[in-house]
Amino acid sequence: MTGSRLVDRSPVGTARRWAMLAASTAAQAAAAVMTNGAVFLIPALHDQRGMGLAEAGLVTAAPMVGVMLTLVAWGWFTDRRGERLALLAGLGLATLAGLLAVAASDGALLAAALFLGGAAAASTNAASGRVVAGWFPPRRRGLAMGIRQMAQPVGVGVAALTVPVVAHAEGVRAALWVPTIACAAAAVVVALVVLDPPRTAPEAGAAPNPYHRDRYLARIHGVSVLLVVPQFVVWTFALVWLIQERGWEPAAAGSLVASTQLLAALGRIGAGQLSDHVASRMRPLRWVAIAAGLSMALLGLAAGVDAAVAVPLLVVATIITVADNGLAFTAVAERAGPSWSGRALGVQNTAQFLAAALVPPIGGLAVASAGYAGTFALAALFPLVAVALVPVVHERPLG
């Protein structure tokens, strides 16, 4: 940044950096348990508390609403007060909200507590990413951020394996201890391990708004929104397509979807490592957009003719369509800089959450009118549009 200097990273060794990566990943995973785990309570809320499915769905959507409404605010807080404090404050407040949820006796109170839990857990989105971006050098940052980006599927997996089982065996109140304990444990780990990364120290004046310099960040946000569409089309409709159209048993379909999510998480690490190797975030991002468009188009074609290769193509498409997340997240943090990356990452995640929220209802209408094959093929158009929007020529060399 012009008119500024970088603080040396040397006081922290390699082992401590990787420990902070692990702590940041754990914090993000705990937040994912808090924000995504509630949906696995729907059957228990219906059976044990007499809620209708619509009411239970509304209650369990509350954490995600809390996340969407507070991402930018937490990004601002992180910019002003630092990553460590943001993580500790957010995870601490999420733990308190979890305790309120455990004590809640009716649906309205439970929804309010879950909303507060999501709003607090949103602190990890920007803060944990900034810890990784701040402590790892550019040539290792893509790999590190790819590992951090595994946190969401890991957190969702933990919630899927624990919350419904505990709720069935011990009740809703017991199941709500899962996200509460996860956030409390992550707060302890953060307190023991995480340090604020070095910041750019301005020599004169406040850091300039990176959105006023050019459209680089805005274009990355746009690309990410477009690439969310095929990702959530596959995530939302893969299971029901396998059961309804391919005749799979629910257990087998669920096992395939779960294992594919693990492969997709590993794919994020591979994409990050590739970006380090080629010293670019935008070129791999464009490659992912091209591959996502082609894989979704081939999936739509294969599904339309009922070809056996459609299932392997579903696996390939699932892996490819999530590979962009770490690349875009890293690029936003690098271009925005330490003084603005919290807010920029908040904008990035908010735009993605809003797009993701629209995919299930609109995709459901598309399935009703064009079928699964037509919906998969339609989703291929979004990454192909994104290809032209990726700002490859405006990318700066990695330091």
Side-chain angles (χ1 to χ4, degrees), residues 81 210 295 375:
R81 302 302 299 273
S295 64
T375 301

Side-chain angles (χ1 to χ4, degrees), residues 54-322:
E55 182 185 1
L58 184 63
V59 168
T60 57
M64 295 300 295
V65 176
V67 171
M68 286 191 292
L69 293 179
T70 56
L71 280 168
V72 176
W74 275 115
W76 176 88
F77 183 89
T78 305
D79 289 337
R80 297 293 183 180
R81 302 302 299 273
E83 295 80 1
R84 176 183 166 86
L85 181 58
L87 287 172
L88 290 175
L91 291 169
L93 290 172
T95 301
L96 293 176
L99 293 174
L100 290 175
V102 170
S105 57
D106 62 55
L109 290 175
L110 178 58
L114 291 174
F115 172 86
L116 293 174
S123 66
T124 64
N125 285 63
S128 66
R130 280 177 48 127
V131 170
V132 176
W135 280 118
F136 280 80
R139 292 305 179 95
R140 299 292 287 173
R141 194 176 290 149
L143 171 63
M145 195 68 81
I147 294 172
R148 181 263 182 195
Q149 290 295 98
M150 288 183 65
Q152 183 181 20
V154 168
V156 173
V158 168
L161 291 172
T162 57
V163 171
V165 174
V166 176
H168 177 73
E170 304 293 337
V172 171
R173 196 181 303 274
L176 288 167
W177 279 104
V178 174
T180 305
I181 293 172
C183 288
V188 172
V189 173
V190 167
L192 293 174
V193 176
V194 172
L195 301 173
D196 283 339
R199 288 180 176 248
T200 302
E203 294 177 357
N209 187 334
Y211 290 96
H212 292 167
R213 290 198 296 262
D214 52 44
R215 298 180 61 194
Y216 184 84
L217 290 175
R219 289 178 66 172
I220 294 178
H221 297 332
V223 169
S224 296
V225 167
L226 290 168
L227 293 181
V228 158
V229 175
Q231 174 185 335
F232 273 81
V233 164
V234 173
W235 279 16
T236 303
F237 298 109
L239 184 70
V240 67
W241 173 71
L242 288 170
I243 294 171
Q244 291 185 350
E245 297 289 313
R246 308 294 297 187
W248 284 42
E249 292 296 323
S255 296
L256 178 67
V257 170
S259 59
T260 302
Q261 288 297 318
L262 176 60
L263 293 174
L266 295 175
R268 293 183 177 188
I269 298 178
Q273 179 67 66
L274 176 63
S275 75
D276 289 340
H277 179 71
V278 301
S280 170
R281 314 297 180 209
M282 292 299 99
R283 280 186 288 146
L285 184 59
R286 184 164 61 182
W287 298 337
V288 168
I290 294 171
L294 292 177
S295 64
M296 291 300 297
L298 290 173
L299 173 59
L301 177 62
V305 299
D306 201 28
V309 75
V311 174
L313 283 171
L314 174 70
V315 173
V316 171
T318 302
I319 296 170
I320 291 174
T321 55
V322 302

